[in-house]
Amino acid sequence: MSRVGKAPIALASGVTVTVSADNVVTVKGPKGELQQAVDKDITVEQEDGQLLVKRPSDQKRHKALHGLYRALLNNMVVGVTTGYKVEQELVGVGYRATNTGNTLDLVLGYSHHYIFELPQEIKVTTTAEKGKNPTIILESIDKQLIGQVAAKIRSLRAPEPYKGKGIKFVGEVLRRKAGKSASKK
């Protein structure tokens, strides 16, 4: 049996889970509400404060879906209780980030600004302290959405391996390369 799939999902107090007839799971918590459509072969059951995901057989497809939906549902439960937070920093001379509401304005060394409209579900804040790199802080209850938006922001100016300039996640370790002088004998 799938090691991920067979693990029960612990439901915190204040979290309610409902499964509709067409296998759509709705998770409500203190921070909001999320929905996920589950494959018709996979069953989701709630027993004494835990959520269990079960599969009908040991087919390869069922095994794959078993672990997948358990992980997705667990991410939903964590999202509505504690939420998710992603921090990115801009490394480079003149790189800036400002926000007005859910619109992010980025200056990344190009001849133009990048104006990035964020989805309603994501809350964004930017900080720029003297002597430190500007940071972008994204907060949301949806792990998939916040990861996708963070990856899109990072792709606007991915960190380069020589000086490390670009948009990187806070705590990310970049693989650095030596410059031209390293090739001389």
Side-chain angles (χ1 to χ4, degrees), residues 144-182:
Q144 292 179 25
L145 183 65
I146 197 170
Q148 186 176 0
V149 169
K152 178 65 179 169
I153 292 171
R154 186 182 190 272
S155 72
L156 298 175
R157 180 71 104 175
E160 51 93 22
Y162 297 102
K163 289 186 177 178
K165 289 171 51 174
I167 301 173
K168 70 182 196 88
F169 294 104
V170 172
E172 178 182 8
V173 178
L174 299 174
R175 184 152 179 235
R176 302 296 286 270
K177 290 183 177 178
K180 292 181 187 177
S181 62

Side-chain angles (χ1 to χ4, degrees), residues 8 35-36 72 100 117 155 172 179 181:
Q35 287 187 334
Q36 174 68 47
L72 291 177
T100 51
E117 188 67 38
S155 72
E172 178 182 8
S181 62

Side-chain angles (χ1 to χ4, degrees), residues 23-85:
N23 234 13
V24 175
V25 178
T26 306
V27 180
K28 291 181 187 174
K31 291 201 173 236
E33 176 181 337
L34 291 171
Q35 287 187 334
Q36 174 68 47
V38 178
D39 191 86
K40 62 182 175 18
D41 294 338
I42 304 296
T43 58
V44 180
E45 298 171 2
Q46 188 172 354
E47 293 176 6
D48 39 277
Q50 292 183 332
L51 203 60
L52 300 172
V53 181
K54 296 183 179 174
R55 64 175 188 238
S57 70
D58 282 345
Q59 289 180 14
K60 192 170 187 177
R61 178 177 172 278
H62 289 159
K63 285 182 177 181
L65 292 177
H66 189 209
L68 168 75
Y69 285 118
R70 191 265 175 206
L72 291 177
L73 294 175
N74 187 54
N75 290 342
M76 290 167 62
V77 170
V78 171
V80 297
T81 53
T82 59
Y84 291 101
K85 184 176 178 180

